Amino acid sequence: MFHYEPKDLSVPEVHRLLLGGVAPRPIALVSTISKDGINNLSPFSFFNAFGANPPIVAFSPSRRGRDATLKDTYNNLVATKECVIQAVTHSMVEQVSLASAEFPPEFDEFLKSGLTPINSDLVNPKRAKESPFQMECKLLEMRSFGEGGASANLAICQVLKFHVAEDLFTKGIIDPVKIDLVARLSGSFYSRAANGVFIIEQPVVKKCIGYDKIPLHIRQSEIYSANDLGKFGHSELIPNENEVQEFIKKIKVEKLEQFESGYDAFLRYQRLNDCNRMLKIALELSENQKTSVELSAKCALQNNDMDFAWKTALYAEKLV
């Protein structure tokens, strides 16, 4: 075994060890509101429950590692003493990851993530409608442990009211398969209660456009899921019209070995997760062309080919 004492390691090295060894960690999606009434939404994986009488939960809005500054969640919570803590399920995880991007304090992160704010009953911060498990809380105590980068701030909160979806219960308990929670591991790894480990790109290392900058025709499409839209929102740039046209022109003239045309072939390539052949066929179809093009974009999203997905999805706007 390797043996380490924290004093002999850098802060990032200590942080990586904690993230890898103390896992999987439940995720608290915490909503707060500033003194000026601006909504804030951010996930924290240093989080758990610590008692039921009264119900106590705690999470750590730690200082930023790079410059030791305090996060908006910390500032809002200290100022207002109120928050809502939501569970994170697989169906919303991409949008929650998007909320972890460091948008400026004046940005409403419900708007940026595409999550839906709804009124709370006992506190001012909004609840995220997409979460099936929500806790309205008051801050009991904020304990700080250091002023350097990545220093802990422990927000100890009392739950004032639970909001739980009715269909989560089996024989009186919350069914772990039905709630389908996700948890954080190290790096970009997550775990899913019923389905193992998966990866989500981390938005904090780049500037994300956010959900609200995704073109309306993509947001309103019935083809893309909330997680698909979350992936689009992680992007830094949207391709321009010339880039889209050049891409489509290239697809149309491209020669592919063992290529077949027709809708039956399209469905077969869809099962094979071959977005390139799907799109090439879709561009030749006389019926359901827009849907087929959007399905090609969705396939590219599943393959994490964002350039292909964007250009295909943008081109679909021109189709009927």
Side-chain angles (χ1 to χ4, degrees):
M1 297 185 73
F2 294 112
H3 303 279
Y4 306 105
E5 292 188 31
K7 64 180 178 62
D8 299 325
L9 301 175
S10 67
V11 172
E13 288 172 328
V14 173
H15 192 236
R16 284 194 293 269
L17 288 175
L18 288 170
L19 294 183
V22 185
R25 301 180 304 284
I27 305 170
L29 178 61
V30 181
S31 56
T32 56
I33 192 166
S34 72
K35 291 185 294 184
D36 298 324
I38 299 173
N39 293 321
N40 181 267
L41 193 64
S42 186
F44 297 90
S45 68
F46 287 173
F47 160 66
N48 221 308
F50 295 93
N53 184 26
I56 300 296
V57 294
F59 69 96
S60 178
S62 58
R63 289 179 179 268
R64 294 184 178 92
R66 65 177 181 275
D67 58 10
T69 54
L70 295 167
K71 297 176 181 177
D72 295 335
T73 299
Y74 174 95
N75 292 328
N76 293 347
L77 193 50
V78 168
T80 68
K81 306 296 192 291
E82 293 180 339
C83 67
V84 179
I85 298 176
Q86 284 99 173
V88 176
T89 65
H90 186 261
S91 64
M92 60 189 290
V93 66
E94 289 280 1
Q95 289 173 280
V96 172
S97 178
L98 185 53
S100 72
E102 292 189 8
F103 297 108
E106 64 270 19
F107 281 68
D108 183 331
E109 286 165 329
F110 277 100
L111 185 63
K112 281 296 182 184
S113 66
L115 294 168
T116 308
I118 56 176
N119 289 333
S120 299
D121 293 339
L122 303 178
V123 299
N124 287 313
K126 305 291 187 180
R127 294 180 283 139
K129 181 180 180 180
E130 288 77 6
S131 174
F133 184 89
Q134 309 151 2
M135 298 178 288
E136 297 184 33
C137 301
K138 68 175 181 180
L139 178 68
L140 297 180
E141 185 179 358
M142 182 73 79
R143 295 287 305 276
S144 296
F145 300 87
E147 298 182 353
S151 294
N153 295 307
L154 186 61
I156 303 171
C157 302
Q158 180 177 339
V159 181
L160 302 179
K161 190 167 187 175
F162 294 96
H163 302 269
V164 189
E166 295 178 10
D167 59 3
L168 294 184
F169 291 91
T170 299
K171 297 181 179 180
I173 65 170
I174 295 176
D175 189 314
V177 175
K178 290 179 178 178
I179 194 170
D180 200 13
L181 294 172
V182 295
R184 286 291 273 120
L185 302 171
S186 59
S188 295
F189 289 98
Y190 287 68
S191 68
R192 184 177 181 183
N195 203 29
V197 175
F198 58 97
I199 296 175
I200 290 180
E201 183 182 0
Q202 298 302 287
V204 294
V205 298
K206 62 183 183 181
K207 295 181 179 179
C208 303
I209 63 167
Y211 179 93
D212 58 319
K213 297 300 183 182
I214 301 170
L216 188 61
H217 73 93
I218 295 177
R219 281 187 276 158
Q220 292 182 339
S221 170
E222 296 181 355
I223 299 300
Y224 308 115
S225 68
N227 278 341
D228 292 333
L229 296 177
K231 285 187 175 182
F232 278 125
H234 277 78
S235 303
E236 294 183 84
L237 297 171
I238 300 176
N240 61 41
E241 176 66 17
N242 288 336
E243 290 173 327
V244 172
Q245 291 303 321
E246 287 298 316
F247 169 76
I248 294 299
K249 185 186 300 183
K250 180 180 178 182
I251 292 292
K252 287 182 176 180
V253 302
E254 186 177 14
K255 302 295 184 182
L256 298 175
E257 293 183 3
Q258 299 179 338
F259 175 73
E260 298 178 46
S261 299
Y263 194 65
D264 288 342
F266 177 88
L267 295 177
R268 182 165 63 256
Y269 290 136
Q270 184 180 23
R271 291 193 296 271
L272 295 172
N273 210 29
D274 189 336
C275 56
N276 195 32
R277 283 176 165 78
M278 286 173 64
L279 179 57
K280 190 168 180 62
I281 293 175
L283 295 173
E284 300 173 355
L285 294 176
S286 58
E287 297 181 0
N288 300 320
Q289 188 180 51
K290 182 175 183 179
T291 296
S292 299
V293 169
E294 289 183 326
L295 286 171
S296 302
K298 185 178 179 72
C299 177
L301 286 171
Q302 293 169 347
N303 294 336
N304 292 317
D305 189 342
M306 293 306 302
D307 184 70
F308 191 109
W310 263 117
K311 291 173 181 176
T312 304
L314 290 169
Y315 180 77
E317 184 184 21
K318 303 178 180 299
L319 307 174
V320 178

